[in-house]
Amino acid sequence: MKEKKIPIKLEDVEAKIVYHAYAGFDLNTLLVSFVEKRKVLSTLDGFRKVAFVANTYTPLSLSESTMKNYKAFQRKFPLTLGIKPSDISFMSTGVNMDNSAIFEDSYREFKVCCIATAGAKDNALRTGVDKANYLERDGKFIAALGTINLILLTNVSLSDGAMARAIITATEAKTAALQDLNVRSTSAPQHQATGTGTDNMIVVSGKSSAKPLQITSGHVKIGELIGFLTKKAVAEALKKHDG
C-alpha cells in the first residue's frame, strides 16, 4: 500500500493517507493513529476507545453497495488496513482524501487540530426547511453524493459532555462556512444550505493528566479554537473539492 504522511503537531498522534483497495475498488483513507487508545465520540457509532480514527474515500459505485449494508462494511473495511474493527472508528465519503483540509492552532496549553473533507454540490440542504428523500430500513439507505466529514483532535482531556458539546460548536462553524461561501440547497436553491444530509464527525479527547474540560462552547478558548479551525477547514475543503 502506498502511503503519504500528513504532518500534525499534536504529540503522540500520527496521520497519513493510505492508498489501498477494497472489494476490487481503489480507495484512499486518511488514517490517524495514537500511541495509546483514545476516547472518541463518533456521530456514526457513539462513544468508543480506539487506537485509530479515519476518513475514507469510497467511489460512488462502491457507496451504492456499502450503503445497502453499512454494518458489514464497518466490519470488513478495517481488515484491508490490517486493523481490527474494534480498534478503529471511521467515516466514509465520496470526497478524495487528497482534497482534505487540515488546520491546527493553540492557546496556552490547549491544542486543537481539525481535519475536514467536504463536498456539497449534490446533496446540500437547509435543515428544518428541506424535506428528506431517504428512509432507513434495517440500517439500509440509498447512497448520496457529497458529505462534510470532520475529525477533531485535541491534546487535553474532555468530559463526555464536552465531547458532545464540541459537535454543536463544530456544526455551527461548519454552517457558518457554508453561509460565507453562499452554498445553496441542492433541491431548493432559494435556501442557503446548513450542511449535507450525510455529514459526520469524530471528536477525539486528549490524554492530558489534568481534570477533563467540561465546556467546549464558543464562550471558552477551547471552543473558540474548535470553531475557528472547523470554519477554516470546511471552507478550504469545499474549495478543494467543489471548486
Side-chain angles (χ1 to χ4, degrees):
M1 291 185 289
K2 181 183 174 184
E3 298 180 354
K4 180 171 71 175
K5 188 172 182 180
I6 305 296
I8 286 183
K9 297 175 184 177
L10 286 172
E11 297 86 357
D12 300 327
V13 178
E14 292 186 356
K16 60 185 176 182
I17 297 176
V18 183
Y19 303 86
H20 60 109
Y22 174 84
F25 293 89
D26 291 327
L27 277 58
N28 53 68
T29 297
L30 198 153
L31 182 66
V32 182
S33 58
F34 313 111
V35 173
E36 297 180 65
K37 283 189 173 184
R38 298 283 187 94
K39 181 175 69 172
V40 308
L41 174 57
S42 165
T43 53
L44 277 174
D45 49 17
F47 280 104
R48 298 183 59 197
K49 198 166 186 179
V50 296
F52 305 89
V53 296
N55 189 16
T56 187
Y57 159 68
T58 55
L60 178 60
S61 49
L62 175 60
S63 293
E64 289 173 343
S65 172
T66 59
M67 290 297 285
K68 293 177 182 177
N69 191 349
Y70 201 77
K71 288 294 184 182
F73 179 61
Q74 288 179 310
R75 291 193 304 270
K76 296 176 182 178
F77 168 77
L79 301 177
T80 65
L81 297 169
I83 297 172
K84 294 188 297 184
S86 59
D87 285 339
I88 186 170
S89 180
F90 73 93
M91 308 170 285
S92 59
T93 176
V95 178
N96 195 298
M97 291 303 112
D98 288 325
N99 289 329
S100 299
I102 303 170
F103 285 86
E104 295 182 272
D105 203 354
S106 62
Y107 179 81
R108 298 186 181 177
E109 72 271 29
F110 303 141
K111 298 178 182 179
V112 174
C113 173
C114 180
I115 305 172
T117 55
K121 278 186 175 180
D122 298 300
N123 70 334
L125 58 78
R126 185 169 183 82
T127 301
V129 175
D130 293 352
K131 293 184 178 180
N133 297 316
Y134 305 110
L135 180 68
E136 179 180 359
R137 289 293 189 200
D138 299 322
K140 299 177 182 179
F141 305 85
I142 298 172
L145 295 172
T147 286
I148 299 175
N149 279 350
L150 300 170
I151 297 175
L152 284 173
L153 305 156
T154 180
N155 67 320
V156 293
S157 296
L158 303 176
S159 69
D160 289 356
M163 295 176 75
R165 185 56 176 81
I167 293 176
I168 293 179
T169 303
T171 299
E172 290 175 349
K174 173 193 72 177
T175 300
L178 292 167
Q179 290 175 333
D180 285 356
L181 294 173
N182 197 26
V183 176
R184 315 302 292 182
S185 164
T186 302
S187 62
Q190 69 271 26
H191 298 145
Q192 196 165 55
T194 55
T196 83
T198 52
D199 296 349
N200 278 299
M201 188 183 316
I202 298 175
V203 179
V204 183
S205 176
K207 294 285 288 185
S208 65
S209 57
K211 183 179 179 180
L213 297 183
Q214 304 297 309
I215 304 295
T216 49
S217 76
H219 285 310
V220 298
K221 282 297 181 181
I222 190 75
E224 176 189 307
L225 291 173
I226 290 169
F228 276 52
L229 293 173
T230 299
K231 186 170 177 290
K232 288 180 182 178
V234 169
E236 181 66 18
L238 282 167
K239 291 173 185 176
K240 283 185 173 184
H241 182 74
D242 286 344

